[in-house]
Amino acid sequence: MAAGEDSKELMNGQGSRKRKAEELVNGDTHVNGGVSTTNGVYANGAVPDPGMSPEILAAVVHNISSQLPPEIEHITQGYMPLSRLITRLAQDTFNGLTETINEMADMQPPTNNVLSHMNSLGSTQASQINIQKKSRMWDFAHDRRAKFIKILVLSQWSRQAESVGKVIDLNFWLNSQRQLYKDATAWVGELKRMLAPMKLPSPHLKTALEALSTGKAAWLPDLGYLPPEPLSPQQMLKALRTINTLLHIRLNLHETIPPVFKNFSISSGRVTFHVKDEFELDLSIAEEDPSSQLYFIDFRLAFSPCATDIPGGWLRNEIEGKSNDVLRREGLAGCYNFLHDLVLTHKLRILRSQATELARARWSDNIKIEPVHRSLVVQYWLNRPGGKSWVEIGIRSGRKEIDSRSNSSGVPCIAIRWHRNGKEVTDFRIDMSLGDLSMEAILKQVISLHINYIFRETKRRLRESPIYAKKVFALKHKASAAEPTKCHLQVQVTGASTVKIVQEPISGAFALIPPSALHGRLERDLNALRDPAAEAFSRIAFSRCISGIEEAERCSRMLGWQSLKMQNPTQEIVKKHFGADVMRLSFLRPTSWGKEWSLAISTSMVGDFWWVVEVREVSKDPSTAELASGQAQPIRSAFKIPIAPKGTLVSEPSYSVLSNVENTAAAIINQCIDCRELANVHIHHIQQKPSEPLGNVHVPDLLMFYEKQQLGERGPQTLTKIPPWCHDVVKSSFRGLSRSRASVITIVSIRLKGTISNISTLTSTTSPSLAFHPTSGTVAFRLSTPIGQSSVPALLERLSRIGRLIRFLDILKRRALPCSHLSLSALTFTYAPGLAATVRFDTDAPMAIAFAPLNPHLRIQDFLAAMLAAKPGLEYVTYVLQLTLPLLRVFAAIEAAPRSAASELHILPRAATWYRVCYEGPHLAYEIRLRQRSDHVLWFSRKATERETPTKVVEAWDRLCRGRGAGWVGLRDGISADLPGVEALVRRIDEVVREAGLGAEDGSKNELVDDKKEEEEEEAEVKVEVQIKKEKEKEVFVID
């Protein structure tokens, strides 16, 4: 019963503790009788209130999570999947089993042909081999079993890998925490050890008070030393002179001075050694004994940029102590070696800092600095393709060989090595200026050498070509050893074009001056080369050929030639017709040529040459017969055009040169066609050297031998019309092209069999197209044949036109007009001083009349051409020319006179004898016509009824109509003038209009005519034209 009560009380106690625990859950925690707040106000946070909003609950959770410690780092380094281990073990087992089987197969007993021996020993050997095989297989199986057991253990362990991983992470974290404690302890101990020498001893206050008050301490012993007396200036000077003397004696008699210390000076009790571009060292002595050491006094650097004097401090004390130690042990030579090595190291450091500044500033992204031990490596032109180029600056010991670039023998010095496109260059010289260090200057010198090498090699290869070897084109290389921007290669690519190739020193990019589209392509090609020194020649040569082609095409466009871009023959055809050296080929065709012929210009490094090319139409699918006969090729034949002087490799494509080329080519084409036609009709012909060459055009003369039998039977129809008065030998000489460049001009000469009437008239005129020789009976005339056509059929037709020419000469003789030019198709006569007219009467075109550009009759040229085609033709035209000359001359004069910006003049011819003159600003329009009154021919002028004319102008015109002048008179409603007086009349009208325009209002200068007035004017003009036609029928002109 007692036990039951005890158990009941125990249960009640447990229940009360359980209820108390439930009350304290998520609430206050009682620790050691006190109340504490853990992780906030309450343990594990505040008791959640059932009515708490989700936003407040989320804020509480975030506050709790932000106060948690960081997670332990999970270790994954060195882990490997178990599957990979099993796969590799299986593969290794398979490979081992294969090798074991192969080894067992190789274990065979030796064979023997003796049967008895086999019977005696066979069983013993076989049993031994079987034992070895079983042992080998057993060992392999035992080894594999052990490994697979390990895999089994690992697989069983891997089932708990997650838990073991957490233990590993926890162990790693604990070890790291222990290491942090150890590091902190070690750091505190090291700090204590480092602070020990910095600790100041505690001051002795009694001694300090006595020393500061009395100047001495009683407890310090007095040794009885007497202070030295101060030296006077004379004593100091004497002492310094004594030291100077001792230094002179010692350095000249007792010391072994190194060669680098030969330059020294003694003054102020010290010897100063001067080492050029390095340092100055001051030494002195402390004893008179020559065997005593020299002592360091001062040290100064003798180069820039750097501080000359070394300030006092740790560095100076270190140099002084080390120098004194070296002077004691090794003397002056050792001191020099020590200071020399120090200076060299300092110079390299300065160069390195300068290179770093360059890489950060204007040389950014173009150089790369790589410090290697005590050397400095600077790579330049980082962005250029090809091998790397760099310069290496370091210290050369000088023990193995003498550095030719440092002028030193056995002494360490700063040397430089240069690698160009990945290859070391040994033969070069660079002035490093060690007295004034500049990394940029060194880089510029190296880059100048690199650029000069590229340009020099390119120039050498260009010089091997004939056009540069024979100095047809200029080639100049300007080199600079210190400034790469002054290095350039100037190449003359054509006669009028020169390109200057420069290389930007910082990036190494090529640039061409002057810039152009072609130079831009060459610039891109040069910048893409991996080895410009070896490959730039081909790019420049190709660009030169393109420049020659483009310049020729550009000049040809000025002449109106067409560029045949579609003509693109194969390389075999080019080699067959133009040669193997051709690099570029362009086909051109003058606009007057047919499709069968064209010009070609070939450019190469041998020269530029012109060709006459005969082309043919080629079908897209040529037949076998065409391929066999060569008719499938687009080029039928090609003839080289001779250029004067003989042997010229390149001729500058100018207007004159292209004109000569066109002339020669046209002559070659026509002679080739004439020769083919003459051969087809079996007419004998030969070519002979021209008796009179035409300038720089050398085309042979063509002699044709006609026979009556040939002409009658086989000749074409035109050949049968040979006049009976000429012989059968015809000579054709080339004399250029026509003005339209569409026809070949040849001089055909035939010897006459008899005399011709009017021979004196023909020979008295200066005719470039027709001439008669009165004594030899030879007639020569100019023949114009279209290019690409035969001139033989047209030869005889020109003979029939001589009669027409003589008839025209008779008309001019009756009119007393001198003939200044005479040909078979045109004649030029003078109808006034300085004025001439040309009448053309080709058979295939209507008759026309032409004037010079400044001739006043150009205004009515079309009206005169219409009169020339009608009857009486030329005789009527000559009369009109004389009547209208004064009026047209004054028209040209007033048009050429200067006018204000707002003033305009328009002269509109209605007919050869009817004109309309319109002024704008102020407005005035009048007409002037030629009429016959009685026996006189007069010019009549009247004001046109158009839009409103300003009042001042109307009043001025009325005054003219009532006035009178030299050769003219007013008729109230108009003005009349005789032939000489019409000039004065027109000038007077122009003066009146000008004077009235100066005072006219601004509003009257810009009046516009509306649509209704324009329609009225058009109707009025139509009526006037009808009236003019009626009056023209009534007019009677007298022709002398």
Side-chain angles (χ1 to χ4, degrees):
M1 185 175 181
E5 293 176 357
D6 293 337
S7 59
K8 187 176 181 180
E9 292 177 359
L10 179 60
M11 291 178 64
N12 292 333
Q14 289 178 355
S16 62
R17 286 195 299 267
K18 184 176 180 180
R19 287 191 301 271
K20 187 180 293 185
E22 289 177 355
E23 293 175 357
L24 296 175
V25 171
N26 297 324
D28 296 338
T29 301
H30 299 271
V31 181
N32 296 326
V35 180
S36 66
T37 57
T38 305
N39 294 333
V41 180
Y42 302 98
N44 297 326
V47 178
D49 187 2
M52 184 182 298
S53 64
E55 292 80 3
I56 299 175
L57 182 60
V60 172
V61 173
H62 177 71
N63 186 21
I64 294 173
S65 62
S66 62
Q67 298 178 5
L68 294 177
E71 293 185 1
I72 297 176
E73 182 181 1
H74 181 58
I75 305 301
T76 59
Q77 185 177 3
Y79 281 15
M80 182 182 295
L82 181 62
S83 60
R84 184 183 303 174
L85 186 60
I86 296 174
T87 303
R88 290 183 179 179
L89 180 60
Q91 183 66 34
D92 184 62
T93 303
F94 176 78
N95 296 336
L97 180 60
T98 304
E99 293 178 359
T100 302
I101 294 173
N102 293 334
E103 291 177 0
M104 294 171 62
D106 295 338
M107 295 179 182
Q108 298 293 337
T111 58
N112 197 333
N113 294 329
V114 181
L115 183 59
S116 60
H117 184 71
M118 181 184 296
N119 293 332
S120 61
L121 299 177
S123 59
T124 304
Q125 292 178 351
S127 61
Q128 292 178 355
I129 291 174
N130 290 334
I131 292 172
Q132 292 177 1
K133 290 183 178 180
K134 293 178 180 180
S135 176
R136 183 71 182 86
M137 179 59 71
W138 173 260
D139 293 340
F140 172 74
H142 186 269
D143 179 65
R144 292 293 110 178
R145 179 177 178 276
K147 291 185 177 180
F148 274 101
I149 289 174
K150 295 178 181 179
I151 289 295
L152 178 61
V153 174
L154 291 176
S155 65
Q156 293 177 354
W157 173 84
S158 64
R159 296 184 180 93
Q160 300 176 358
E162 184 177 358
S163 301
V164 175
K166 294 180 179 180
V167 173
I168 293 173
D169 296 342
L170 184 58
N171 182 46
F172 177 78
W173 181 80
L174 291 174
N175 291 334
S176 62
Q177 295 298 316
R178 294 191 189 98
Q179 186 63 36
L180 289 176
Y181 283 112
K182 293 180 181 179
D183 293 344
T185 305
W187 179 79
V188 171
E190 182 67 19
L191 180 61
K192 183 178 180 181
R193 186 186 65 81
M194 295 174 62
L195 292 176
M198 300 181 183
K199 183 178 179 182
L200 296 176
S202 300
H204 193 270
L205 298 180
K206 181 180 180 181
T207 305
L209 182 60
E210 184 179 0
L212 292 175
S213 60
T214 62
K216 60 182 181 179
W219 60 272
L220 291 176
D222 187 6
L223 301 180
Y225 289 138
L226 298 177
E229 296 181 1
L231 295 176
S232 63
Q234 291 78 9
Q235 291 175 338
M236 294 178 62
L237 180 59
K238 182 179 179 181
L240 292 176
R241 287 177 177 175
T242 301
I243 295 174
N244 292 343
T245 303
L246 293 175
L247 288 173
H248 276 289
I249 295 173
R250 179 167 179 172
L251 294 176
N252 288 287
L253 299 179
H254 302 287
E255 286 289 342
T256 301
I257 303 177
V260 292
F261 276 175
K262 290 296 183 181
N263 183 17
F264 64 89
S265 60
I266 299 175
S267 64
S268 301
R270 65 180 69 184
V271 56
T272 302
F273 295 98
H274 305 276
V275 182
K276 185 180 179 182
D277 296 337
E278 290 193 19
F279 59 87
E280 293 180 356
L281 176 62
D282 293 343
L283 301 178
S284 186
I285 58 176
E287 301 177 17
E288 296 183 3
D289 186 4
S291 60
S292 63
Q293 77 166 77
L294 295 170
Y295 288 93
F296 178 90
I297 300 299
D298 197 5
F299 174 73
R300 296 176 298 278
L301 297 176
F303 60 89
S304 61
C306 67
T308 305
D309 297 328
I310 299 177
W314 173 85
L315 177 60
R316 182 179 180 87
N317 296 335
E318 190 73 18
I319 294 175
E320 181 176 357
K322 185 65 175 177
S323 299
N324 288 330
D325 183 60
V326 173
L327 285 171
R328 179 178 56 82
R329 290 184 289 103
E330 302 177 16
L332 291 176
C335 183
Y336 169 74
N337 292 333
F338 164 67
L339 295 177
H340 177 65
D341 188 65
L342 177 65
V343 169
L344 294 183
T345 305
H346 187 50
K347 286 185 176 181
L348 287 178
R349 188 175 297 275
I350 292 175
L351 292 176
R352 183 180 303 173
S353 63
Q354 290 180 351
T356 305
E357 290 297 328
L358 291 177
R360 294 174 179 172
R362 56 193 298 255
W363 293 71
S364 176
D365 298 332
N366 290 286
I367 61 174
K368 181 180 180 182
I369 294 92
E370 296 180 1
V372 181
H373 301 294
R374 294 180 66 188
S375 300
L376 173 63
V377 178
V378 180
Q379 180 186 349
Y380 60 93
W381 293 356
L382 298 180
N383 300 321
R384 275 208 59 82
K388 296 180 180 180
S389 299
W390 70 88
V391 57
E392 180 179 355
I393 303 175
I395 298 176
R396 179 170 297 182
S397 63
R399 290 190 295 268
K400 295 182 179 180
E401 58 183 357
I402 298 175
D403 185 8
S404 60
R405 294 185 294 274
S406 63
N407 298 323
S408 61
S409 176
V411 178
C413 62
I414 292 181
I416 184 170
R417 297 174 61 190
W418 177 32
H419 289 75
R420 182 181 60 211
N421 292 336
K423 299 179 181 179
E424 184 176 1
V425 182
T426 57
D427 186 14
F428 70 98
R429 287 187 176 274
I430 290 180
D431 182 13
M432 300 184 66
S433 299
L434 297 178
D436 186 9
L437 297 177
S438 175
M439 189 64 210
E440 186 174 10
I442 295 175
L443 273 178
K444 285 185 176 181
Q445 292 185 63
V446 173
I447 292 175
S448 295
L449 291 175
H450 198 159
I451 295 175
N452 289 330
Y453 166 74
I454 295 174
F455 289 163
R456 185 171 59 251
E457 288 298 313
T458 304
K459 178 183 177 182
R460 180 185 62 81
R461 299 198 63 185
L462 288 174
R463 280 292 185 194
E464 295 175 357
S465 59
I467 59 175
Y468 291 106
K470 296 181 180 180
K471 297 183 179 181
V472 178
F473 287 159
L475 189 63
K476 182 180 179 182
H477 170 216
K478 183 178 180 181
S480 175
E483 188 56 48
T485 56
K486 296 182 180 179
C487 302
H488 67 264
L489 179 63
Q490 191 168 348
V491 183
Q492 184 180 4
V493 293
T494 62
S497 177
T498 300
V499 59
K500 184 167 72 172
I501 305 174
V502 298
Q503 197 168 6
E504 206 276 323
I506 296 179
S507 63
F510 288 92
L512 275 70
I513 302 174
S516 64
L518 176 61
H519 294 169
R521 293 196 297 269
L522 176 58
E523 185 176 316
R524 288 192 296 271
D525 293 342
L526 292 178
N527 288 326
L529 296 178
R530 299 182 64 85
D531 188 5
E535 303 173 8
F537 159 76
S538 59
R539 301 298 191 277
I540 296 175
F542 191 72
S543 179
R544 192 218 72 80
C545 295
I546 295 178
S547 298
I549 292 292
E550 289 188 352
E551 186 169 343
E553 290 179 348
R554 183 169 57 254
C555 293
S556 66
R557 285 194 293 268
M558 297 172 61
L559 297 177
W561 294 3
Q562 300 175 358
S563 180
L564 307 179
K565 300 296 184 182
M566 300 300 295
Q567 194 76 11
N568 190 17
T570 61
Q571 191 66 25
E572 291 76 9
I573 297 177
V574 172
K575 289 183 179 180
K576 176 182 177 182
H577 294 284
F578 304 100
D581 297 329
V582 175
M583 299 180 68
R584 291 284 295 179
L585 188 67
S586 177
F587 293 88
L588 304 170
R589 179 180 293 152
T591 55
S592 57
W593 289 21
K595 296 182 178 180
E596 296 80 9
W597 296 90
S598 64
L599 286 172
I601 176 172
S602 62
T603 59
S604 65
M605 298 306 288
V606 177
D608 300 346
F609 304 104
W610 288 90
W611 306 76
V612 177
V613 182
E614 185 179 7
V615 298
R616 61 162 64 96
E617 295 290 338
V618 180
S619 60
K620 296 183 179 179
D621 299 324
S623 62
T624 306
E626 291 177 346
L627 292 173
S629 61
Q631 296 181 0
Q633 297 182 359
I635 297 179
R636 180 178 180 182
S637 59
F639 307 96
K640 190 175 182 179
I641 300 176
I643 301 295
K646 188 176 181 181
T648 302
L649 297 180
V650 178
S651 58
E652 181 180 354
S654 60
Y655 178 82
S656 59
V657 171
L658 295 186
S659 297
N660 293 335
V661 168
E662 185 179 3
N663 292 343
T664 307
I668 292 175
I669 291 172
N670 276 29
Q671 281 199 3
C672 180
I673 294 175
D674 289 344
C675 291
R676 290 177 183 175
E677 184 170 351
L678 292 175
N680 291 335
V681 297
H682 302 284
I683 296 178
H684 180 61
H685 60 280
I686 61 173
Q687 290 179 330
Q688 68 176 10
K689 185 178 180 180
S691 57
E692 297 180 2
L694 182 63
N696 293 328
V697 179
H698 296 276
V699 180
D701 295 338
L702 181 63
L703 297 182
M704 296 165 280
F705 301 92
Y706 293 96
E707 296 180 3
K708 295 180 180 180
Q709 191 175 15
Q710 290 177 334
L711 297 176
E713 295 178 359
R714 303 178 183 178
Q717 184 178 0
T718 56
L719 297 180
T720 59
K721 298 180 182 179
I722 295 180
W725 44 267
C726 63
H727 291 275
D728 57 357
V729 179
V730 179
K731 178 181 178 182
S732 177
S733 302
F734 175 73
R735 281 298 177 269
L737 299 180
S738 63
R739 181 174 298 180
S740 62
R741 318 294 292 181
S743 302
V744 175
I745 304 300
T746 55
I747 299 298
V748 180
S749 59
I750 304 176
R751 187 177 179 183
L752 304 179
K753 293 181 179 179
T755 60
I756 301 177
S757 61
N758 298 330
I759 187 66
S760 59
T761 304
L762 295 174
T763 55
S764 63
T765 59
T766 58
S767 171
S769 61
L770 181 64
F772 293 90
H773 197 280
T775 57
S776 63
T778 301
V779 58
F781 57 90
R782 179 181 294 173
L783 185 64
S784 178
T785 306
I787 299 174
Q789 298 182 12
S790 176
S791 62
V792 177
L795 187 146
L796 296 178
E797 190 272 335
R798 291 299 178 90
L799 295 176
S800 64
R801 297 168 63 179
I802 297 177
R804 181 191 299 177
L805 181 64
I806 296 174
R807 185 172 65 255
F808 286 166
L809 291 175
D810 291 338
I811 295 175
L812 296 178
K813 181 180 179 181
R814 292 197 305 269
R815 297 294 302 169
L817 298 177
C819 180
S820 59
H821 176 80
L822 186 64
S823 68
L824 294 177
S825 60
L827 61 87
T828 301
F829 61 92
T830 303
Y831 60 91
L835 299 177
T838 300
V839 179
R840 304 186 185 279
F841 40 87
D842 293 335
T843 56
D844 54 351
M847 294 181 64
I849 188 169
F851 301 95
L854 299 179
N855 195 306
H857 281 92
L858 278 174
R859 196 184 304 273
I860 60 172
Q861 183 177 1
D862 295 338
F863 297 106
L864 295 177
M867 296 178 184
L868 193 64
K871 292 183 180 181
L874 180 63
E875 190 170 3
Y876 179 64
V877 169
T878 56
Y879 181 68
V880 173
L881 289 174
Q882 293 177 342
L883 292 179
T884 58
L885 178 60
L887 179 63
L888 295 178
R889 183 183 293 162
V890 71
F891 279 166
I894 63 175
E895 279 183 336
R899 298 182 178 276
S900 61
S903 177
E904 295 182 6
L905 172 64
H906 304 283
I907 300 176
L908 307 175
R910 297 295 183 87
T913 58
W914 184 10
Y915 303 90
R916 181 185 181 89
V917 182
C918 298
Y919 286 92
E920 294 293 340
H923 172 72
L924 174 64
Y926 70 93
E927 294 182 351
I928 183 168
R929 299 182 63 179
L930 186 67
R931 296 180 180 276
Q932 182 175 358
R933 291 294 182 265
S934 299
D935 296 335
H936 301 283
V937 179
L938 300 175
W939 289 99
F940 288 90
S941 176
R942 63 182 179 84
K943 188 170 74 71
T945 57
E946 277 191 348
R947 62 184 183 181
E948 183 178 357
T949 304
T951 305
K952 282 193 173 185
V953 180
V954 173
E955 293 175 355
W957 176 264
D958 293 340
R959 288 194 297 271
L960 285 176
C961 292
R962 294 190 299 270
R964 179 185 297 272
W968 62 272
V969 61
L971 303 176
R972 293 185 181 276
D973 60 344
I975 308 171
S976 67
D978 55 12
L979 296 181
V982 70
E983 293 190 37
L985 173 61
V986 175
R987 290 183 184 277
R988 180 56 184 162
I989 295 174
D990 185 66
E991 292 175 0
V992 168
V993 175
R994 287 173 180 270
E995 293 174 358
L998 294 177
E1001 296 179 355
D1002 296 336
S1004 62
K1005 293 181 180 180
N1006 300 315
E1007 294 180 353
L1008 301 176
V1009 181
D1010 55 6
D1011 296 340
K1012 185 175 181 180
K1013 287 188 177 182
E1014 289 182 357
E1015 294 177 359
E1016 294 176 356
E1017 289 178 0
E1018 291 178 359
E1019 294 177 358
E1021 288 179 359
V1022 172
K1023 293 179 181 180
V1024 170
E1025 290 178 359
V1026 174
Q1027 185 67 22
I1028 289 170
K1029 290 181 180 179
K1030 293 180 179 180
E1031 293 180 359
K1032 188 175 181 180
E1033 294 176 356
K1034 297 179 182 180
E1035 291 178 355
V1036 178
F1037 290 86
V1038 180
I1039 302 176
D1040 295 340

